[in-house]
Amino acid sequence: MTETFSIRRQVEFNHCDAAGIVFYPRYFEMISSLTERFFSDALDFSWASIGLSEGYGTPMGNIEVRFHAPSQLEDWLDLSLQLERIGRSSATFLITCACEGAPRFTCKATVVYANIKTGGSEPWPETPRAKMSRYLTASSQNERQD
C-alpha cells in the first residue's frame, strides 16, 4: 500500500498579495517546505545533514504546477506528497494542495540527488532510496524504476 506524506499549513499574511490571496510564488516556498520535511521526517535524510556534513543536495530539476483555485488569508492548507518514480539519481513527486478537500494546486516536481561541489548527479544512497519506495504510487510500483 502506498504511503502519503502530508503537512498542514495555515495561510499567513506574508503569503498574501494586496487582495488577500496567496501570491503564487509563495506556493513554491510551500512545495519546498513540504519536500524538506519529507526528506527529514519521512526519510531521516535532512537537507542539513546531507548538505552541511556530506556535501550533497536535492536541487529541483523540473517543476510543473496547475493552479485550481485561490487560497485566502487564514485558510488551512493540506499539502501531500507521493512519488511517481525513483530514478538512479532523481525522484519525481506528485504533490497536491487542498483546503477543506477543495484542490488549490497540483504539482509534479523532480529533484536530483547531486554533489554540491561538482554540480553533478549521484546515485541515491540505499537507505533513503528504500524508504522512498514506500511512497511510490500503486501504478508506479508496477513500472520499472531506472
Side-chain angles (χ1 to χ4, degrees):
M1 185 163 165
T2 301
E3 292 185 36
T4 301
F5 180 79
S6 299
I7 62 173
R8 189 168 167 84
R9 294 284 189 263
Q10 189 173 35
V11 175
E12 298 172 343
F13 181 75
N14 64 74
H15 298 130
C16 297
D17 61 16
I21 62 174
V22 173
F23 182 45
Y24 75 92
R26 301 295 180 243
Y27 282 130
F28 289 92
E29 293 171 354
M30 293 178 199
I31 291 166
S32 181
S33 179
L34 175 66
T35 58
E36 181 175 358
R37 296 281 24 109
F38 173 71
F39 278 100
S40 182
D41 301 345
L43 306 181
D44 194 29
F45 195 63
S46 74
W47 287 352
S49 67
I50 66 172
L52 298 176
S53 64
E54 299 181 26
Y56 291 91
T58 57
M60 190 67 63
N62 188 56
I63 190 164
E64 300 170 27
V65 178
R66 168 75 168 97
F67 299 103
H68 302 286
S71 298
Q72 298 179 345
L73 183 62
E74 296 189 348
D75 281 350
W76 280 97
L77 303 179
D78 297 303
L79 294 110
S80 299
L81 176 153
Q82 291 184 323
L83 275 89
E84 180 180 67
R85 78 178 277 287
I86 304 168
R88 180 188 78 83
S89 58
S90 66
T92 301
F93 301 128
L94 299 175
I95 297 170
T96 60
C97 176
C99 178
E100 297 181 10
R104 297 307 169 96
F105 72 80
T106 50
C107 172
K108 187 175 183 176
T110 301
V111 297
V112 178
Y113 185 65
N115 182 307
I116 294 170
K117 292 179 184 168
T118 68
S121 66
E122 298 278 342
W124 289 108
E126 185 176 319
T127 300
R129 182 186 179 89
K131 289 180 180 179
M132 277 192 276
S133 67
R134 299 186 329 235
Y135 296 87
L136 280 168
T137 62
S139 61
S140 298
Q141 291 176 8
N142 298 326
E143 297 175 9
R144 181 176 174 256
Q145 299 298 309
D146 296 324

